[in-house]
């Protein structure tokens, strides 16, 4: 239902999958697109994300982030 608010998202999600992401989707309530991939494809998927954003004139940046394996730590 949010796609009309961010019509470029469909092309971004498809392009990320074409670049090697195992899957891609909307993330959260905002205009964030999340792609998951094997570590060895991370750079290629990120670069594809940046290229897709530029080609679609969408402001943004693609980033590689790692899963937080420790969670919240209170000291």
């Amino acid at each position: 239902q949010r796609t009309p608010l961010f019509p470029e998202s469909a092309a971004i999600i498809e392009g990320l999958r074409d670049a090697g992401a195992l899957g891609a989707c909307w993330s959260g309530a905002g205009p964030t697109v999340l792609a998951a991939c094997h570590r060895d494809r991370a750079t290629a998927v990120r670069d594809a994300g940046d290229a897709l954003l530029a080609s679609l004139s969408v402001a943004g940046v693609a980033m590689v982030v790692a899963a937080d394996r420790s969670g919240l730590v209170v000291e």
Side-chain angles (χ1 to χ4, degrees):
Q1 289 187 323
R2 292 177 284 176
T3 300
L5 301 173
F6 184 17
E8 301 85 358
S9 66
I12 293 169
I13 289 169
E14 181 179 346
L16 291 169
R17 288 193 301 238
D18 289 345
L22 299 171
C25 62
W26 281 83
S27 178
T32 299
V33 173
L34 172 72
C37 63
H38 290 288
R39 188 175 299 170
D40 63 336
R41 297 293 304 151
T43 300
V45 172
R46 182 206 54 217
D47 292 347
D50 279 332
L52 288 160
L53 292 170
S55 72
L56 296 167
S57 299
V58 174
V61 62
M63 299 183 296
V64 174
V65 298
D68 179 355
R69 296 179 181 260
S70 61
L72 177 66
V73 176
V74 178
E75 295 181 13

